[in-house]
Amino acid sequence: MAGEFEGKVALVTGAGSGFGRATSLLFARDGAKVVCADINLQTAEQTAHLIEDTGGDAIAIKTDVSKAAEVEAMVKATVKKYKRLDCAFNNAGIGGLGKTTDEYTEDEFDRTIAINLKSVWLGMKYEIPQMLRQGGGCIVNTASIVGLVAMGGLSAYVASKHGVLGLTKTAALEYARKGIRVNAVCPGIFETPLNQKYWDQFPGSKEEMLKTVPLGRYGQPEEIAEAVVWLCSDAASFVHGHPMVVDGTFTAQ
Ligand SMILES: NC(=O)c1ccc[n+]([C@@H]2O[C@H](COP(=O)([O-])OP(=O)(O)OC[C@H]3O[C@@H](n4cnc5c(N)ncnc54)[C@H](O)[C@@H]3O)[C@@H](O)[C@H]2O)c1
């Protein structure tokens, strides 16, 4: 809602693309100052410029979310620039590799867990103390429908997203009485660069995968942004520890 986040500060990771960019733009439209963090500084800057072009206030920060020192620096830079942190969207991540459990190498497994799961813990580890100092805040973590169900060929990815929901629920319990709401989004299959890479690698997979979506189309990043911004809004004041599914009926099957 326009003006809902006036005077508030939102931090978004993976802000240079897909869900992160769409959510950064929506937070800004609704009045938030936005910190756009991404390992790719150039795309994060593009998002910040898109916000500035519409009269909003944003900065871009280069952050590798799998590195503790960089995540700590990201939160410090947010508070240094805007003096507070109200909403955090821990979203940056990488996709699955289309390999069976025995085909994943140790490096591939470790990298997936570091970027998709450890990153979410690191984000909350450094965001929560700031939110406690201010008396509250809202956190949304990006899980996936494969945080709830499995899908073949994605073992490390599936494990990372199940883990994100475990971390989300635990933090929700720990901070329930301290003014910090913690939720997750569980996207189905969306048309973002992450999936495009997979579809390009496996010709025909885009058409084949669509058959698994009862709604008959893929999601658009703006449809995740709407869910994230709503979860951070006062309208969601009693929604806490919730894995919000946005999947065009995929998990209803
Ligand atoms: N697209 C989907 O269908 C889908 C479905 C379920 C979950 N997800 C999850 O949503 C999140 C965003 O996905 P997307 O589809 O927008 O992908 P995307 O590839 O469009 O965007 C991901 C962004 O994260 C950044 N990033 C990657 N590694 C990083 C790191 N180590 N540190 C900081 N930034 C890093 C990339 O540079 C990119 O800008 C991911 O966690 C992904 O697993 C996506």
Side-chain angles (χ1 to χ4, degrees):
M1 200 200 313
E4 165 96 33
F5 294 93
E6 214 62 60
K8 293 193 171 175
V9 177
L11 168 62
V12 176
T13 70
S17 179
F19 301 158
R21 174 168 287 176
T23 306
S24 298
L25 294 175
L26 197 57
F27 268 129
R29 187 204 69 184
D30 290 354
K33 298 179 176 74
V34 185
V35 177
C36 305
D38 203 291
I39 197 166
N40 184 335
L41 181 60
Q42 206 185 355
T43 58
E45 283 175 341
Q46 284 165 2
T47 303
H49 290 148
L50 286 171
I51 290 172
E52 286 162 355
D53 288 348
T54 58
D57 191 345
I59 54 166
I61 301 181
K62 183 179 190 319
T63 308
D64 180 343
V65 291
S66 66
K67 302 276 191 316
E70 295 195 27
V71 176
E72 184 178 19
M74 169 184 81
V75 174
K76 274 195 179 148
T78 301
V79 178
K80 187 169 180 218
K81 170 75 179 172
Y82 292 125
K83 314 293 176 228
R84 52 188 299 115
L85 171 60
D86 300 285
C87 310
F89 182 33
N90 297 310
N91 161 74
I94 54 172
L97 295 179
K99 290 182 168 188
T100 54
T101 300
D102 65 303
E103 289 167 349
Y104 260 88
T105 67
E106 187 177 3
D107 282 351
E108 288 164 350
F109 188 90
D110 287 347
R111 181 164 182 269
T112 305
I113 297 296
I115 297 175
N116 287 3
L117 175 59
K118 184 181 167 192
S119 62
V120 170
W121 167 67
L122 285 173
M124 293 198 290
K125 175 175 170 60
Y126 293 107
E127 292 150 3
I128 285 169
Q130 175 59 30
M131 290 179 174
L132 288 174
R133 277 193 289 278
Q134 292 169 197
C138 288
I139 295 175
V140 178
N141 299 319
T142 300
S144 165
I145 48 170
V146 301
L148 297 162
V149 298
M151 199 181 277
L154 300 173
S155 59
Y157 185 80
V158 170
S160 73
K161 296 302 186 180
H162 274 67
V164 168
L165 290 184
L167 285 175
T168 301
K169 291 180 205 169
T170 305
L173 288 175
E174 289 171 349
Y175 302 98
R177 295 185 181 213
K178 295 180 178 165
I180 303 177
R181 284 193 300 110
V182 187
N183 291 290
V185 278
C186 298
I189 310 172
F190 281 69
E191 275 183 313
T192 68
L194 179 141
N195 278 331
Q196 196 56 53
K197 270 180 224 149
Y198 186 90
W199 292 327
D200 290 346
Q201 192 186 346
F202 300 100
S205 60
K206 185 170 186 183
E207 295 70 28
E208 203 50 42
M209 222 185 246
L210 190 56
K211 294 180 190 159
T212 67
V213 187
L215 204 62
R217 69 169 175 86
Y218 292 123
Q220 296 303 317
E222 293 72 22
E223 294 174 298
I224 287 300
E226 290 287 353
V228 174
V229 170
W230 181 79
L231 283 168
C232 289
S233 74
D234 290 344
S237 51
F238 204 55
V239 183
H240 193 36
H242 176 58
M244 178 177 275
V245 171
V246 184
D247 74 346
T249 5
F250 187 97
T251 48
Q253 297 173 89

